[in-house]
């Protein structure tokens, strides 16, 4: 007799896992999704008024260095080529991100070679800072005041909702500068966007006789009785009904506006000044350069601390959050037959390819752990400074 398992969440974490378990022929899977659609925050739809493919919860660009993950997603969709070339509006003008040789030369009005630029930026750094204690000190040590103020201070404060001096230095662990003219935001080997959108991929993953999808279903621990195992991709603290308090998440709000023609000439433009209330504008027709549209759909993006009822997008992970997280991890490790998966279940910032890789690896295991990703490991936090396209 096939074993019954429950999967909470129909995003990539849950859908890939459900698909792989169904393929094994040993399980019957119930997928519970609180929203009225699948694909989670990767949900896409074709806008009826303009024909533009819209990323409902913000831009998602697929990028990975794992060949097996790239081969996997290409089984379900044709991916169009897309290179994320983010632009940044600052007090000094418009520049390319990540900071690269063109950015440096334009910002400082010079014509430096890669070697000269590397030496120039090195001397900009604050040599008085021996061991950075926070994000601001990390940036000042390696970039200096001018680049930090122009590109990172205001954007970081808006995106995280706290002063950069209250964020760990590990967020900016690697120097966000290239000393060549490469303005591709990612350095992954494989990059692209599915021509038919992400929702089509998830629908195919879940299209199996062994999988039953239940939309608009809010579930609690009590609902998992009778299942051999539960895979939970919702917020970790929500699983325990917030009995220890609430972990902090950032949420995003999108303000749509339409226009004729081409509004900004690029998919993503960051607004780095603190006085501008939104973090960026995304113009969605530029995410499908193989298509042509007379009208355009744009979104201003605002970042806020998630309140009860808001959609959590990514964990804040300040020191107080990590203390509370430790207590929730202890609870989770005593929870029988439950595995916490995905960005919210493990309280970590994870890109799509990492979530998919985790679920593929998890499906192959004979024994399932409590977490697919250790929430309290010491790996650097992911930075969300420029081009935040998950």
């Amino acid at each position: 007799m096939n074993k019954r398992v429950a999967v909470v969440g129909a995003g990539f974490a849950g859908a890939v896992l459900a698909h792989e378990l169904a393929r094994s022929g040993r399980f019957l899977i119930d997928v519970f999704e609180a929203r009225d659609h699948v694909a989670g925050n990767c949900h896409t739809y074709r806008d009826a008024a303009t024909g533009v493919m819209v990323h409902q919860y913000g831009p998602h660009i697929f990028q990975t260095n794992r060949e097996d993950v790239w081969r996997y997603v290409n089984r379900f969709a044709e991916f169009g080529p897309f290179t994320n070339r983010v632009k940044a509006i600052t007090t000094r003008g418009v520049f390319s991100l990540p900071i690269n040789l063109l950015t440096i030369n334009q910002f400082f009005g010079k014509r430096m070679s890669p070697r000269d630029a590397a030496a120039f930026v090195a001397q900009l750094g604050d040599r008085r800072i021996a061991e950075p204690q926070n994000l601001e000190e990390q940036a000042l040590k390696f970039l200096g005041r001018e680049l930090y103020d122009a590109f990172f201070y205001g954007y970081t404060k808006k995106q995280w909702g706290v002063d950069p001096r209250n964020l760990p230095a590990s967020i900016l662990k690697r120097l966000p500068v290239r000393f060549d003219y490469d303005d591709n935001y990612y350095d992954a080997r494989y990059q692209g966007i599915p021509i038919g959108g992400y929702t089509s991929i998830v629908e195919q993953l879940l299209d199996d006789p062994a999988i039953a999808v239940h939309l608009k279903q809010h579930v609690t621990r009590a609902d998992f009785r009778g299942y051999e195992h539960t895979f939970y991709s919702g917020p970790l603290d929500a699983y325990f009904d917030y009995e220890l308090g609430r972990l902090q998440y950032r949420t995003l709000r999108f303000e749509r506006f339409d226009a004729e023609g081409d509004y900004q000439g690029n998919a993503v433009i960051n607004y780095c000044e603190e006085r501008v209330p939104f973090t960026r504008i995304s113009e969605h027709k530029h995410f499908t350069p193989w298509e042509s549209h007379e009208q355009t759909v744009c979104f201003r993006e605002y970042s806020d601390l998630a309140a009860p009822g808001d959609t959590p997008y990514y964990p804040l992970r300040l020191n107080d959050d990590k203390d509370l997280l430790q207590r929730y991890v202890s609870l989770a490790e005593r929870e029988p037959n439950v595995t916490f998966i995905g960005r919210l279940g493990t309280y970590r910032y994870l890109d799509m390819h990492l979530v998919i890789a985790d679920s593929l690896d998890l499906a192959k295991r004979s024994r399932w752990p409590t977490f697919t990703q250790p929430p309290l490991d010491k790996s650097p936090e992911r930075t969300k400074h420029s081009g935040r396209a998950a």
Side-chain angles (χ1 to χ4, degrees), residues 226-287:
Y227 287 100
E228 184 79 14
H229 202 86
T230 296
F231 300 93
Y232 184 86
S233 69
L236 175 61
D237 51 349
Y239 178 85
F240 295 101
D241 199 25
Y242 311 104
E243 63 182 76
L244 301 178
R246 288 181 177 270
L247 292 165
Q248 292 191 98
Y249 300 86
R250 298 297 290 175
T251 190
L252 300 175
R253 177 171 58 86
F254 302 95
E255 180 181 86
R256 173 173 171 159
F257 63 98
D258 296 358
E260 296 289 335
D262 191 343
Y263 178 77
Q264 64 182 16
N266 198 55
V268 177
I269 295 184
N270 286 7
Y271 286 75
C272 300
E273 296 175 77
E274 184 182 1
R275 66 178 182 83
V276 178
F278 49 88
T279 56
R280 63 180 184 172
I281 292 178
S282 56
E283 186 169 4
H284 287 224
K285 75 176 183 180
H286 290 300
F287 292 111

Side-chain angles (χ1 to χ4, degrees), residues 138-196:
Q138 183 81 356
L140 293 177
K141 178 179 175 64
F142 291 107
L143 297 174
R145 175 62 65 179
E146 287 184 274
L147 290 173
Y148 168 67
D149 283 349
F151 292 99
F152 295 103
Y153 175 77
Y155 191 92
T156 301
K157 195 170 182 180
K158 291 188 293 184
Q159 188 68 38
W160 290 89
V162 296
D163 191 282
R165 287 170 290 189
N166 295 324
L167 292 170
S170 60
I171 291 179
L172 204 62
K173 200 67 174 179
R174 290 182 296 178
L175 185 66
V177 173
R178 293 176 182 158
F179 297 107
D180 58 24
Y181 288 103
D182 180 11
D183 63 348
N184 183 351
Y185 180 66
Y186 300 114
D187 58 6
R189 180 180 179 185
Y190 305 104
Q191 302 178 42
I193 291 179
I195 290 176

Side-chain angles (χ1 to χ4, degrees), residues 63-325:
Q63 50 90 22
T64 184
N65 282 314
R66 276 186 58 161
E67 184 175 359
D68 61 331
V69 173
W70 181 245
R71 288 179 179 273
Y72 186 81
V73 295
N74 274 268
R75 285 167 43 191
F76 304 97
E78 178 184 357
F79 276 71
F82 181 82
T83 301
N84 194 24
R85 304 188 190 280
V86 179
K87 300 296 179 284
I89 293 180
T90 75
T91 55
R92 298 266 288 267
V94 183
F95 301 95
S96 293
L97 284 180
I99 295 173
N100 58 70
L101 188 54
L102 180 61
T103 311
I104 297 167
N105 279 327
Q106 289 181 333
F107 189 83
F108 293 103
K110 296 182 179 294
R111 293 188 293 178
M112 291 181 285
S113 68
R115 178 180 298 180
D116 291 340
F120 177 78
V121 171
Q123 62 89 23
L124 293 176
D126 189 338
R127 299 177 184 178
R128 297 170 298 175
I129 301 173
E131 189 64 33
Q133 299 301 305
N134 54 59
L135 184 148
E136 179 166 291
E137 290 186 357
Q138 183 81 356
L140 293 177
K141 178 179 175 64
F142 291 107
L143 297 174
R145 175 62 65 179
E146 287 184 274
L147 290 173
Y148 168 67
D149 283 349
F151 292 99
F152 295 103
Y153 175 77
Y155 191 92
T156 301
K157 195 170 182 180
K158 291 188 293 184
Q159 188 68 38
W160 290 89
V162 296
D163 191 282
R165 287 170 290 189
N166 295 324
L167 292 170
S170 60
I171 291 179
L172 204 62
K173 200 67 174 179
R174 290 182 296 178
L175 185 66
V177 173
R178 293 176 182 158
F179 297 107
D180 58 24
Y181 288 103
D182 180 11
D183 63 348
N184 183 351
Y185 180 66
Y186 300 114
D187 58 6
R189 180 180 179 185
Y190 305 104
Q191 302 178 42
I193 291 179
I195 290 176
Y198 290 102
T199 299
S200 174
I201 296 177
V202 176
E203 288 173 342
Q204 293 176 69
L205 287 168
L206 296 173
D207 185 15
D208 189 287
I211 300 174
V213 180
H214 310 274
L215 298 178
K216 296 189 287 187
Q217 292 290 315
H218 293 269
V219 290
T220 66
R221 277 182 285 176
D223 297 313
F224 305 137
R225 295 174 186 147
Y227 287 100
E228 184 79 14
H229 202 86
T230 296
F231 300 93
Y232 184 86
S233 69
L236 175 61
D237 51 349
Y239 178 85
F240 295 101
D241 199 25
Y242 311 104
E243 63 182 76
L244 301 178
R246 288 181 177 270
L247 292 165
Q248 292 191 98
Y249 300 86
R250 298 297 290 175
T251 190
L252 300 175
R253 177 171 58 86
F254 302 95
E255 180 181 86
R256 173 173 171 159
F257 63 98
D258 296 358
E260 296 289 335
D262 191 343
Y263 178 77
Q264 64 182 16
N266 198 55
V268 177
I269 295 184
N270 286 7
Y271 286 75
C272 300
E273 296 175 77
E274 184 182 1
R275 66 178 182 83
V276 178
F278 49 88
T279 56
R280 63 180 184 172
I281 292 178
S282 56
E283 186 169 4
H284 287 224
K285 75 176 183 180
H286 290 300
F287 292 111
T288 54
W290 50 86
E291 297 181 357
S292 178
H293 300 281
E294 293 183 2
Q295 294 176 288
T296 194
V297 179
C298 302
F299 291 87
R300 297 182 186 92
E301 187 171 317
Y302 301 81
S303 177
D304 293 296
L305 184 66
D310 288 337
T311 299
Y313 278 79
Y314 58 93
L316 194 52
R317 290 182 69 95
L318 299 180
N319 287 333
D320 288 346
D321 299 306
K322 290 185 178 181
D323 292 340
L324 181 57
L325 175 61

Side-chain angles (χ1 to χ4, degrees), residues 351-386:
D351 284 334
M352 284 183 291
H353 65 288
L354 296 175
V355 168
I356 292 170
D358 282 350
S359 289
L360 288 175
D361 294 341
L362 182 64
K364 298 173 185 175
R365 301 185 66 156
S366 56
R367 297 184 64 182
W368 293 315
T370 304
F371 293 98
T372 55
Q373 288 276 343
L376 291 163
D377 76 350
K378 296 181 180 180
S379 61
E381 307 294 341
R382 285 296 309 274
T383 176
K384 296 173 72 64
H385 290 297
S386 55

Side-chain angles (χ1 to χ4, degrees), residues 9-11 31-43 56-57 60 213-218 251-252 254 309-313 344:
V31 177
F32 299 97
E33 171 55 54
R35 292 169 172 167
D36 61 0
H37 60 75
V38 300
N41 286 351
C42 297
H43 179 64
Q56 182 169 335
Y57 302 97
H60 285 74
V213 180
H214 310 274
L215 298 178
K216 296 189 287 187
Q217 292 290 315
H218 293 269
T251 190
L252 300 175
F254 302 95
D310 288 337
T311 299
Y313 278 79
L344 302 181

